[in-house]
Structure formats: structure tokens, C-alpha cells
Amino acid sequence: MTTYRRRGHWRRSPGGGRHWVQTHSVTRSGASRPSRQTYGSPYRRTVTARPRVPRPPRSFSERWLRPNARCPVCGASVFYYSNEHGSRVFFDEVGPPWPKHPCTDNSAYRERSPISPGRSAPARYSLLKGRSLAQRSAFLDATANSRLTWVGLSYRVNAWTPYALLKRDLADGVTRLTLQRLYTLQPATVWTVAAEVPLAVGDVVFVQAGQLSYFDLDRGEPVTMPVEHVGTERVGGVRERLRGLWTRLTS
């Protein structure tokens, strides 16, 4: 039991009247004097969280390829290409206009670079992962273009279409390329180039308005040349189609 003195105060009766209560003693069954109660609004304030908008990858090209290096100067995620001859190039974005990363775009850095030379290129995502990124990117692009948000400025649509090389044939100085548009189930298409193209199966190339662009690992630089669309690749049977689909799902 606890007894304490309570100062005089005004009290409102159930009928709405107001009267003065003199100072008096109060006895309560508790260990200590109760703290002063604060009467607030009978309604609890509900804070509605703003819907989270998915953030796009830092780089536009991350919807196609994984950044395979970090800049040794600033630590940014970059796309790294190299060959066995010692050529090493860091790009901020993959595909035309192939913007090089400014921190490493100088001969002084390349001479003292501790990275051992070798043949390297960014890796592709699996089909399911790539499709997920492409679908999310398309949604963000559409939202940005209609609302003119900051996403539209840094994540705009690239007119160059990315393809993966499925097959390369060379005959009479003409290279025949079988290309599959990245992360789609569309039939592969066939293109011809009036020159020898040093590409390997799995390489990523970009096509736009009769132009083919890719990174030449032998020369250590991007190349753009005319290309002609021949048609859609004809696949013999269901087995070949399933084999091609399985390869794209697991690659």
C-alpha cells in the first residue's frame, strides 16, 4: 500500500459539470506513486509507408552482363576486357559508344597496372536471371518516360540490341553469324558480314540499323562494321529446339 498527498485540482463529473477537489491523501495498492498520465488523441496515428520503387542497376549494361571487376582507383563496378597480349580496358558501359572508365583510361595506369594479362570478358546471366532484369528494366524505363523521373535520365533505353553468338561460319571471306537475342525465347536470326569476324560462341554483340558492334579481344578495342540480316534460323526438329533452349537456360 502506498499513501501520498494529491494537490487540489479541477475534476469533470460524468454529467459534464466541473468542480474543485481539495488537497487530499490518496492510498493505492502499488509499489510507487503512479506517473502522470498523458491523454492524447483516441485515434492512433497510422503512418502509411511509401511504396518501394525497385532501383535499377547502377549501370545500364548490368541488365545484360555482370560487371566483372572493380576500378582499383575509385572502387566502382566496371566491365573489364583483356587479352593475352597485355591489352586491358575498363568500360563504364558495354556496347556503343563503349565509354571507357575515366580512372583507368590512361597509358600511365596501364603500364603500372598490377592486373595480370589474360583473355577476359564480362559474363552473361542465366536466361531466367537475365529475363528478370530485362522485365524490371522495361518497367522502370516505361515509368521513367511517362513521369520524367531521374531514372529516365540515367537508365534510358539503348537503341542497340544485344545478341549472343550461337554459331559462326566462314566461307569465301564472308562470316555467317547465328545470333540469339539476349534473354528471349525468340528464334535465332542469321546475319552475314563481308569480312572475317574473330568471335567465339557465347560472345555478346550489338546490332542496330545494319551495323554490328563488338569488342575484339585480339585487337583489344571495340569494332563496328556493316552487317546484313539474312533471316531466321531453321531448326530441324523438336529435339534440337529443346537442346537449344536447355543450353540457354543453363548458360
Side-chain angles (χ1 to χ4, degrees):
M1 302 292 290
T2 302
T3 302
Y4 60 91
R5 296 285 292 174
R6 185 172 185 180
R7 292 180 298 179
H9 58 276
W10 288 99
R11 175 174 292 177
R12 188 176 298 277
S13 64
R18 194 180 182 206
H19 60 278
W20 175 257
V21 178
Q22 299 290 338
T23 301
H24 60 284
S25 298
V26 178
T27 301
R28 293 186 183 276
S29 57
S32 62
R33 180 177 177 176
S35 60
R36 183 179 179 183
Q37 183 178 4
T38 302
Y39 295 91
S41 171
Y43 302 100
R44 177 176 295 178
R45 182 180 179 184
T46 302
V47 180
T48 303
R50 298 180 62 183
R52 294 185 60 185
V53 178
R55 301 183 64 181
R58 294 180 180 179
S59 168
F60 176 80
S61 298
E62 285 187 43
R63 70 171 72 183
W64 303 317
L65 300 172
R66 296 187 186 94
N68 57 339
R70 286 194 174 275
C71 172
V73 179
C74 68
S77 296
V78 291
F79 299 91
Y80 171 68
Y81 288 86
S82 68
N83 61 22
E84 63 272 20
H85 307 298
S87 297
R88 299 181 289 274
V89 188
F90 294 85
F91 291 103
D92 282 327
E93 302 287 349
V94 175
W98 298 93
K100 293 182 179 180
H101 188 64
C103 294
T104 57
D105 188 19
N106 60 80
S107 58
Y109 169 78
R110 287 193 291 270
E111 291 175 359
R112 67 175 185 271
S113 173
I115 300 177
S116 59
R119 185 167 288 266
S120 176
R124 289 187 290 136
Y125 299 106
S126 65
L127 176 63
L128 297 181
K129 175 67 174 178
R131 282 179 64 84
S132 175
L133 288 175
Q135 291 171 357
R136 185 181 67 169
S137 303
F139 167 76
L140 292 172
D141 290 336
T143 303
N145 291 334
S146 62
R147 299 182 183 178
L148 300 179
T149 62
W150 64 271
V151 181
L153 301 178
S154 60
Y155 205 66
R156 55 189 176 275
V157 177
N158 193 334
W160 290 81
T161 304
Y163 290 86
L165 177 62
L166 300 182
K167 185 167 59 176
R168 180 178 71 95
D169 299 312
L170 179 63
D172 299 329
V174 177
T175 304
R176 183 183 177 93
L177 304 173
T178 302
L179 304 178
Q180 171 68 49
R181 186 168 178 176
L182 281 190
Y183 313 125
T184 68
L185 299 178
Q186 300 175 1
T189 53
V190 180
W191 308 72
T192 56
V193 180
E196 183 175 354
V197 181
L199 291 171
V201 173
D203 286 348
V204 175
V205 301
F206 301 85
V207 178
Q208 179 200 23
Q211 295 290 313
L212 172 73
S213 183
Y214 64 94
F215 188 84
D216 190 329
L217 281 172
D218 293 328
R219 297 167 55 179
E221 60 185 19
V223 176
T224 300
M225 59 177 58
V227 66
E228 183 178 352
H229 179 251
V230 176
T232 302
E233 181 190 30
R234 294 183 179 180
V235 181
V238 177
R239 180 176 298 178
E240 288 78 7
R241 289 180 180 271
L242 292 177
R243 183 182 296 112
L245 177 59
W246 174 254
T247 301
R248 293 196 292 273
L249 284 172
T250 56
S251 63

